[in-house]
Amino acid sequence: MGFEAKNQPMNEFPILNPEEGIPLFYPFVAPEAFKEVEDSLNSRWIGQGPKVDLFEKQFQKKIVPNNFPVAVGSGTDGLHLAYILSGIKEGDEVITPVFTCTATNLPLLYIKAKPVFADINPLTMNINVDDIEHRITEKTKAIVAVDYGGVPADYEKLNKICEKYQLKLIGDCAQSIGTLYKGRPISEYCDFTVFSFQAIKTISTSDGGMLVLKNYGDLPLAKRLRWFGIDRSEKQKGIWENDVFEIGYKYQMTDIAACLGISSLKYFEKLVNHRKSIFEIYLENISNKQINLINTPDKNGTSICPWLCTIIVENGRIDLMNKLREKGVETAQVHYRNDRYSVFGSRKKDLPNMDYLEDKYLVLPIHHKVSINQAMEICQYINEWQY
Ligand SMILES: Cc1ncc(COP(=O)(O)O)c(C=O)c1O
């Protein structure tokens, strides 16, 4: 302790018990959530009810004003639905980043589609848009982009490729709620966009997700697929004689989860500003020559809401991780290249940027409980470390 930040911003979130050390992640629960949940528990609706509708409306207003949100049970549920809505079927190929949470790619296997891994851009760890076109075949139906850590993929280029080859674009924005690409929400560049409210995301509903549709016309089908293939509002009218003609799922969000989302959304700007402040502390104060920070500065209207802060450690990543853990600072790799998991087949040999970075990246804590002084302290540990 005892380090002063240059621009001491707020740290209005209660700080951690020093004995806990500094964990890599910490869930945010808004104080209002307790009352909100209590009200729902005392009401007729604890499954999907009016709070889910309200959360969708508020999310639309704040995050995706020109598109159409459908609240779901998790980001993974949302991705599965996005792939179905994109028309991806058994045997189809989908070009997708090799470096991401497995949740990006596992739902492709639910459908028996084939993930075709593209390499990463070494500056952002997002999909390398120059490594896509040569992977397109007659079977390719879609491209998936992930905004790793909150930094947007190159949507302008992705849109051009999708237009040229008539492919759907799915944005896995599980980590990039609020991020703007060239002044616009990511959902305006993608056919389908998916956010996650899993426990440790910037906004959490304990578990939950938001599937966002570019086109209003997809809304009835998306809602049916979320609920057993049934038009729920029609059925609630009483006598219902309609058929179920497609396989639906039970992928809805509950009102209890929506209560957490509604109360957390009120803190969205503060949470993002705090993350930005901590990110900037690392950016300005890490001076160890062995280390670089994954960063794309805000420019041309692109505004990043960071969820992760990732450093690239030239040599000795695990040693640094262990040394920081000795000081009570938790860091980790969080995600691994997906082609190392046998469920996706075998390790690929044509991903040179991924090969180069796979033993080098490490994620630092930037959540709402990390104080400015603690971030400064972490910088000092990193600067003093030698391998
Ligand atoms: C990139 C990415 N995609 C998908 C998911 C899945 O989201 P969820 O855990 O809400 O299912 C996550 C996070 O967990 C993620 O980080």
Side-chain angles (χ1 to χ4, degrees):
M1 295 299 141
F3 302 96
E4 289 302 321
K6 253 193 306 179
N7 315 307
Q8 188 85 24
M10 42 120 243
N11 196 6
E12 61 184 88
F13 302 112
I15 59 164
L16 291 160
N17 171 356
E19 273 148 39
E20 272 187 82
I22 306 172
L24 180 53
F25 295 113
Y26 208 102
F28 175 75
V29 179
E32 294 87 335
F34 296 86
K35 175 80 177 59
E36 193 87 48
V37 170
E38 194 181 350
D39 288 349
S40 282
L41 289 175
N42 283 321
S43 82
R44 189 161 87 80
W45 295 101
I46 59 172
Q48 185 194 339
K51 294 272 175 76
V52 170
D53 295 342
L54 181 63
F55 183 46
E56 283 174 348
K57 278 201 189 83
Q58 293 184 347
F59 188 87
Q60 182 182 40
K61 194 164 168 215
K62 203 182 260 283
I63 309 290
V64 292
N66 298 318
N67 303 109
F68 308 97
V70 179
V72 285
S74 69
T76 313
D77 295 350
L79 284 161
H80 187 196
L81 293 185
Y83 298 154
I84 295 171
L85 289 160
S86 298
I88 300 165
K89 299 214 165 56
E90 180 168 354
D92 289 342
E93 294 178 3
V94 176
I95 300 181
T96 176
V98 68
F99 181 67
T100 179
C101 176
T102 50
T104 309
N105 293 317
L106 280 172
L108 291 170
L109 303 188
Y110 304 171
I111 306 175
K112 298 191 166 55
K114 182 180 171 202
V116 175
F117 292 126
D119 204 358
I120 53 171
N121 173 336
L123 299 178
T124 58
M125 299 189 82
N126 282 334
I127 195 164
N128 179 356
V129 288
D130 297 325
D131 190 49
I132 291 178
E133 278 193 83
H134 70 104
R135 297 180 190 274
I136 294 174
T137 71
E138 283 189 345
K139 291 185 177 172
T140 308
K141 286 283 161 12
I143 298 175
V144 182
V146 176
D147 299 338
Y148 174 67
V151 175
D154 186 345
Y155 286 101
E156 229 161 53
K157 271 228 173 116
L158 288 165
N159 279 162
K160 278 196 189 126
I161 298 171
C162 287
E163 210 174 300
K164 183 168 165 193
Y165 296 94
Q166 294 293 294
L167 305 176
K168 296 285 185 196
L169 180 60
I170 297 116
D172 178 345
C173 294
Q175 306 185 358
S176 61
I177 179 171
T179 287
L180 299 179
Y181 177 81
K182 305 207 169 168
R184 312 215 62 84
I186 310 300
S187 56
E188 297 186 19
Y189 297 89
C190 300
D191 297 287
F192 302 98
T193 309
V194 177
F195 297 90
S196 165
F197 311 121
Q198 170 241 359
I200 52 174
K201 293 293 180 337
T202 306
I203 296 292
S204 172
T205 60
S206 87
D207 253 322
M210 195 69 83
L211 165 66
V212 180
L213 317 171
K214 188 190 231 171
N215 298 317
Y216 184 74
D218 289 323
L219 202 55
L221 177 56
K223 288 191 169 178
R224 282 203 307 276
L225 293 179
R226 171 175 70 170
W227 188 261
F228 303 121
I230 290 171
D231 183 338
R232 204 166 176 254
S233 47
E234 278 303 307
K235 189 160 178 261
Q236 279 167 354
K237 287 178 187 162
I239 298 164
W240 185 75
E241 288 174 352
N242 282 341
D243 190 12
V244 174
F245 45 87
E246 63 228 334
I247 300 173
Y249 300 83
K250 190 142 192 268
Y251 279 175
Q252 87 290 1
M253 179 177 279
T254 68
D255 267 28
I256 303 299
C259 285
L260 302 188
I262 288 165
S263 19
S264 289
L265 263 189
K266 297 187 184 129
Y267 290 83
F268 179 68
E269 289 80 4
K270 283 184 180 166
L271 290 165
V272 167
N273 284 337
H274 186 79
R275 282 176 181 271
K276 281 190 176 188
S277 303
I278 301 296
F279 194 101
E280 274 164 24
I281 298 283
Y282 290 138
L283 189 62
E284 286 175 14
N285 294 284
I286 294 177
S287 55
N288 189 323
K289 298 269 177 302
Q290 281 278 308
I291 289 168
N292 284 309
L293 202 135
I294 290 280
N295 176 43
T296 304
D298 289 359
K299 59 177 185 202
N300 302 331
T302 292
S303 154
I304 295 159
C305 295
W307 182 62
L308 298 175
C309 179
T310 304
I311 53 171
I312 302 299
V313 186
E314 235 1 87
N315 291 298
R317 166 180 66 175
I318 300 300
D319 185 67
L320 175 60
M321 187 180 88
N322 290 337
K323 293 275 157 43
L324 288 169
R325 281 185 183 221
E326 281 166 21
K327 306 272 187 196
V329 179
E330 186 188 13
T331 65
Q333 288 131 81
V334 185
H335 301 307
Y336 298 88
R337 58 187 299 169
N338 279 194
D339 66 340
R340 79 175 222 176
Y341 300 118
S342 52
V343 71
F344 293 119
S346 56
R347 195 182 156 94
K348 303 289 174 284
K349 297 198 170 68
D350 57 352
L351 304 166
N353 295 337
M354 187 71 254
D355 291 344
Y356 177 71
L357 285 178
E358 83 171 295
D359 295 327
K360 298 187 190 314
Y361 64 92
L362 193 64
V363 178
L364 306 179
I366 61 166
H367 53 78
H368 63 285
K369 293 266 192 184
V370 181
S371 73
I372 299 303
N373 286 348
Q374 284 171 323
M376 292 293 285
E377 193 175 10
I378 293 169
C379 292
Q380 198 188 19
Y381 294 149
I382 292 174
N383 291 339
E384 284 169 1
W385 171 77
Q386 284 181 346
Y387 185 67

